Each structure stands twice: as C-alpha cells, then as structure tokens.
Amino acid sequence: MSELPVYLCRRATGPILIDGRLDEVAWASAEAVTLVLADSGAAPRQPTVARLLWDDDYLYVAFECQDDDIWGMTTGRDQDIYNQEVVEVFIDAASCGTGYVEIEVSPLNAVLDLFMLWRDDRQRGLWDWDSTGLQTAVVVEGDPWQRGTSDRRWTVELAIPMVDFEMAPHLPPHPGDTWRINLYRIDRGVQGDEYTAWSPPGRLNYHTPSRFGILQFAD
C-alpha cells in the first residue's frame, strides 16, 4: 500500500461565498488533487478534482466532478444518499482513528451528516448528529433528475464549521497542526459504478481510517 498523501491546506486569502462556483480568488491558491479508484488506485473513467482551504471559522472543501450522466433522487436531509451519486468528506480531527465526521452531498444538494464511531473494522453512524452551521451549494451542468441525458459536470462547495471538530488539538487550528481526512466520490454510471478516493483504501469500503490522508494546516 502506498504512503499516505499529505494535503497542505492554505488559509483562505479572502471571503468565500458558498454558491458552488469556486470563482473566488482564494480558490486559486488551493492545491488541486485528483481522486483515484478506491480499490486499485487507477485512474477512473469520470475524473474528480478536490480542493481545500481554511480560516478561523470554517474548513472549506470543493469537488469538481466530470459526469456524463448526473443522477440524484433525494432532496431531504439525512437520507441514504450514498445509494445515489455523492461526494463525501471524512474528517478525523483528533487523528484517533476511532471517531470522525462524515459529510455527503449529492448533485441535488441533499446532505447526509453523521458522526462515525469505528473499531475493529466495524462502524456505527450517529444519525442524530448534525452540523448545524454547515453550508453547501451545488452547480450542475446537466439534468440530475433524468437518466441518459447529455450531462457534463457538477461542482460542490462546502463550508464546515470549525466548531464541529471538538476533538481537534486546537480550534481554530494552529499552522502546522495535522488532522486525518479522506475525500471520496460515488458515481452511478450506466457503464457501472465507480468508487474513488483521494487516499485509496485498497478496497470498496470508505470506512478505513488507517488509510485517511494527512491534512496539514498552513498559514
């Protein structure tokens, strides 16, 4: 298995409006990383690029998903949208490997947010946990309500409140602090499903905290 990747998360240089457009100057300074197939590490058919930034109040995450058949069904919160198309971010702010925040967003901007407990390859989601200040937005180039339409891409922008990460060593983070994190996407294409990750777990199970990458906060 490859070494864990490290993401140098830069401080946002200005305000970020959560509208799914990624047109703020601050995003230009964020490192772009490409997701790979979760089991093999190979390049997927439908590429995904992710970026992160931070400030004292939020951790910002953005996904740009190429998708020739965008699909969603659910608009309500805390539904099983992982059975549709989603992007996901798992954040272990304490780097403990046993508890982490999980947030998923679909092309319809449906949100599932959980706090996960993990031990001995068993996971349990606390569905009553909510990120009360979470902001998300999605821009879709296509029709997510209809299968088989000529679609192009969808972009997701999240602002996750720092107060969600109560287990972190410092809040707000200090430059040089490290958390464990992983970024994922599930694509439900007509040619078959694709499971992609920033730090591939080597299997089709995203709940593999030993394979979460390293998020390092920069000033």
Side-chain angles (χ1 to χ4, degrees):
M1 189 67 68
S2 62
E3 293 185 3
L4 296 176
V6 178
Y7 189 95
L8 188 64
C9 189
R10 295 181 171 87
R11 181 184 281 273
T13 56
I16 295 178
L17 176 65
I18 303 303
D19 58 3
R21 301 196 179 276
L22 311 186
D23 51 4
E24 289 85 2
V25 173
W27 280 118
S29 67
E31 177 189 1
V33 294
T34 301
L35 275 55
V36 297
L37 292 178
D39 53 351
S40 67
R45 189 180 68 85
Q46 305 251 58
T48 308
V49 173
R51 296 175 172 84
L52 296 97
L53 293 167
W54 73 286
D55 60 25
D56 286 355
D57 299 316
Y58 294 98
L59 177 68
Y60 302 96
V61 188
F63 295 87
E64 297 175 275
C65 308
Q66 294 187 33
D67 196 337
D68 56 15
D69 190 13
I70 303 169
W71 175 63
M73 295 177 59
T74 302
T75 58
R77 189 158 182 168
D78 286 346
Q79 305 297 310
D80 57 350
I81 57 175
Y82 44 79
N83 291 317
Q84 303 166 45
E85 293 193 326
V86 290
V87 293
E88 307 183 10
V89 54
F90 289 16
I91 306 164
D92 178 1
S95 302
C96 63
T98 56
Y100 48 92
V101 169
E102 173 182 348
I103 297 176
E104 305 182 12
V105 183
S106 80
L108 300 178
N109 201 26
V111 171
L112 170 61
D113 51 351
L114 310 167
F115 191 86
M116 298 298 303
L117 302 176
W118 188 97
R119 186 176 293 277
D120 299 329
D121 212 18
R122 297 190 302 272
Q123 64 270 354
R124 179 166 67 93
L126 305 181
W127 286 68
D128 58 348
W129 181 89
D130 282 319
S131 174
T132 55
L134 176 68
Q135 301 177 51
T136 67
V138 180
V139 171
V140 177
E141 296 181 28
D143 183 356
W145 294 99
Q146 299 290 331
R147 307 264 14 199
T149 54
S150 181
D151 302 327
R152 294 185 56 196
R153 53 186 279 160
W154 52 292
T155 302
V156 184
E157 194 172 22
L158 303 91
I160 309 171
M162 284 292 181
V163 294
D164 286 350
F165 307 117
E166 299 178 37
M167 299 170 64
H170 305 107
L171 283 180
H174 293 177
D177 282 359
T178 59
W179 297 358
R180 299 292 295 277
I181 189 170
N182 218 340
L183 308 166
Y184 306 110
R185 177 186 172 191
I186 300 175
D187 179 73
R188 308 289 186 186
V190 293
Q191 299 184 32
D193 297 343
E194 281 192 326
Y195 296 81
T196 52
W198 170 52
S199 179
R203 59 180 186 165
L204 298 183
N205 186 346
Y206 289 166
H207 295 279
T208 310
S210 63
R211 290 297 306 163
F212 289 4
I214 298 169
L215 181 72
Q216 181 176 352
F217 290 91
D219 208 352

